[in-house]
Amino acid sequence: MSGTKVCIACVEENKLRECHHENPVKELGLSHEASENSSFLHSVINMVGMLIGLGQLSMPYAVESGGWISIFLLISLGVLTTYTSHILGNCLRRNPKSKSYSDIGYSAFGRHGRLLASLFIYLEIFMALVSYTISLHDNIAAAFPATFTNLHNGSFPAAKLTAVAVAIALPSLWIRNLSSISFLSSGGILMSAVIFMSVVYTAVFGGVIDDGRIPVLRLGNIPTVSGVYLFGFGGHIVFPNLYTSMKDPSKFTKVSIVSFATATALYTALAITGAKMFGPNINPQVTLSLPKHLLVTKIALWATVLTPMTKYALEFAPLAIQLERSLPLTMSDRTKLVTRGLVGSTLLLVILALALTVPYFGYVLSLTGSLVSVTIAVILPCAFYVKICWDGMSKFTRAANVVFVVFGCVLGVLGSFDSSKLLVNKLVRVHGN
């Protein structure tokens, strides 16, 4: 409620007790009670919003790279990550003191578990922000001339346009009000829906016909393709927070099933539609393959440009919260806000420089999925679950989770190696010339 004095540390830790922190945040607009009042529908919307983002852009490209049979891999990974979301809920039920992903790591393996979980959380945030910025760069380069000029050979400095867009988004990193950040997240969900509808509209009414054939299977590309697919299912770092915010946490498994089923259905439909339309000519970002003369293409391009700008503050929030907790208690709120904003702005500028240096969306997305998403969404949840709930497990459940850990490790190593090799070869070819 507006006007309620709330300590942000208590809100983030969900501590239902009297606040003993010295510097509560005023006028936050949230209360402890409100933080545990999400309905089933609200929780589903939040989880779907966490899952659907950049990953949908590359689903058609992944199908073209892996062949039609790789769609079954997409669905299988959707089922597997639904299960790992479910077992994270089981870990939270076993130890009610756990409120976050890193807390589950601590409950399983002590300080080393928390450290490992935190490392991959921040690595995922960083690499996701790099991917968002590369996407912003690629799409603004296409959207700007398509919208503002009829000259096909017009010169538009994409790097400068990207820098301007990032500069416009910078103030969002200074936002401390959690409800405002949530509003930005809602904008991201809307943009994702616009992109999906644009592709569907083009398939039905755009008159796109491609005679190119997609093979049944390209086995050699499966490791990198699995990285792209896993990137689209890697929202697990925030699922514990969603669990603790639910009015009835016992429905978390149902929320996971509905949310992942929705995301998997959308990804599958988009993958088949885009791959069938463009065949071998598909771009790693499907929006860049849409016919440039169509109005719906311009809408899709600008929706893709706006998506990263709505995501920056949300992705940065976990880092910002941890940063504020590490600052001295004697520091004033104003100084903390300035410190938070300066650190966030500096980080985003570093990410901008990296994204402009390595602007290869498909390779970076695959590397992120293979190196980080598979760890966050498959390996660690299964390892945590086996350690925390060992006594109450059947032998089959123990064996299955160990197999999932091994499967995730194999997929991660192969995918990371192949994606890194492709990325390095691309850099050598480009900069070598």
Side-chain angles (χ1 to χ4, degrees):
M1 294 173 215
S2 181
T4 303
K5 295 182 180 180
V6 179
C7 172
I8 192 169
C10 287
V11 169
E12 293 305 321
E13 295 166 10
N14 288 317
K15 293 179 179 176
L16 302 181
R17 56 163 173 74
E18 180 182 355
C19 176
H20 297 295
H21 291 89
E22 295 183 17
N23 293 312
V25 178
K26 299 178 181 180
E27 307 297 323
L28 186 60
L30 293 172
S31 67
H32 290 305
E33 292 77 9
S35 67
E36 297 188 352
N37 200 33
S38 293
S39 66
F40 180 87
L41 180 59
H42 189 203
S43 298
V44 168
I45 293 172
N46 281 338
M47 186 174 284
V48 170
M50 293 167 191
L51 291 172
I52 297 175
L54 271 185
Q56 68 173 336
L57 298 179
S58 289
M59 292 301 165
Y61 171 75
V63 169
E64 193 281 327
S65 298
W68 287 116
I69 286 182
S70 71
I71 291 175
F72 294 104
L73 176 63
L74 169 63
I75 296 171
S76 298
L77 291 174
V79 173
L80 176 57
T81 48
T82 305
Y83 171 73
T84 56
S85 176
H86 158 70
I87 62 177
L88 283 178
N90 287 349
C91 292
L92 291 167
R93 277 190 287 273
R94 175 61 70 95
N95 186 0
K97 291 183 180 179
S98 297
K99 303 295 182 182
S100 66
Y101 195 92
S102 57
D103 285 346
I104 297 175
Y106 180 80
S107 179
F109 299 107
R111 285 194 311 164
H112 296 296
R114 185 188 295 278
L115 180 62
L116 184 64
S118 299
L119 172 65
F120 276 96
I121 287 171
Y122 297 138
L123 188 59
E124 181 175 63
I125 291 170
F126 181 80
M127 295 187 73
L129 288 172
V130 171
S131 300
Y132 276 120
T133 308
I134 295 173
S135 176
L136 171 62
H137 170 268
D138 293 345
N139 283 275
I140 203 169
F144 201 88
T147 305
F148 295 110
T149 184
N150 292 322
L151 298 176
H152 295 292
N153 296 319
S155 177
F156 289 87
K160 292 182 179 179
L161 290 173
T162 307
V164 170
V166 169
I168 293 173
L170 274 179
S172 67
L173 300 183
W174 293 65
I175 296 176
R176 205 176 185 187
N177 188 303
L178 300 181
S179 61
S180 297
I181 295 177
S182 178
F183 173 76
L184 289 174
S185 176
S186 300
I189 296 172
L190 177 62
M191 294 302 103
S192 296
V194 169
I195 293 167
F196 175 73
M197 294 307 299
S198 298
V199 175
V200 172
Y201 179 89
T202 303
V204 177
F205 303 108
V208 178
I209 299 176
D210 192 289
D211 295 328
R213 292 180 177 272
I214 294 177
V216 175
L217 177 65
R218 286 175 171 157
L219 189 60
N221 292 341
I222 290 301
T224 55
V225 166
S226 66
V228 175
Y229 289 155
L230 280 164
F231 185 90
F233 293 117
H236 291 59
I237 60 173
V238 291
F239 290 170
N241 304 94
L242 191 150
Y243 175 95
T244 55
S245 72
M246 289 182 64
K247 187 187 302 183
D248 184 3
S250 66
K251 295 181 179 179
F252 179 76
T253 296
K254 292 181 180 179
V255 168
S256 298
I257 292 172
V258 172
S259 301
F260 275 87
T262 302
T264 303
L266 184 145
Y267 289 156
T268 304
L270 192 61
I272 293 173
T273 303
K276 211 167 166 50
M277 265 199 300
F278 303 112
N281 298 319
I282 188 70
N283 191 282
Q285 298 179 74
V286 67
T287 49
L288 299 178
S289 295
L290 299 176
K292 298 295 185 289
H293 65 281
L294 296 179
L295 174 61
V296 71
T297 300
K298 298 178 177 62
I299 294 173
L301 288 171
W302 281 108
T304 311
V305 168
L306 291 173
T307 296
M309 299 175 70
T310 64
K311 294 284 189 178
Y312 285 137
L314 188 67
E315 292 284 349
F316 178 66
L319 288 173
I321 291 167
Q322 186 60 41
L323 174 63
E324 289 201 15
R325 289 180 184 173
S326 65
L327 294 174
L329 294 175
T330 54
M331 187 178 289
S332 67
D333 287 347
R334 182 180 179 84
T335 305
K336 287 184 177 180
L337 177 62
V338 172
T339 303
R340 168 192 175 129
L342 290 176
V343 170
S345 300
T346 303
L347 177 63
L348 190 53
L349 292 176
V350 170
I351 287 170
L352 171 64
L354 183 60
L356 294 179
T357 305
V358 191
Y360 310 115
F361 181 81
Y363 300 146
V364 173
L365 200 71
S366 178
L367 179 60
T368 303
S370 298
L371 179 64
V372 184
S373 299
V374 70
T375 305
I376 289 288
V378 178
I379 299 172
L380 290 184
C382 292
F384 293 161
Y385 183 48
V386 169
K387 185 66 169 63
I388 292 172
C389 302
W390 177 271
D391 293 337
M393 284 184 179
S394 66
K395 291 182 180 180
F396 174 79
T397 303
R398 291 173 186 170
N401 279 274
V402 171
V403 169
F404 293 151
V405 170
V406 174
F407 171 73
C409 289
V410 171
L411 213 56
V413 170
L414 294 177
S416 297
F417 177 78
D418 285 357
S419 301
S420 299
K421 185 173 68 174
L422 290 170
L423 182 58
V424 170
N425 289 342
K426 181 70 173 181
L427 288 171
V428 170
R429 285 199 303 272
V430 172
H431 294 287
N433 294 331

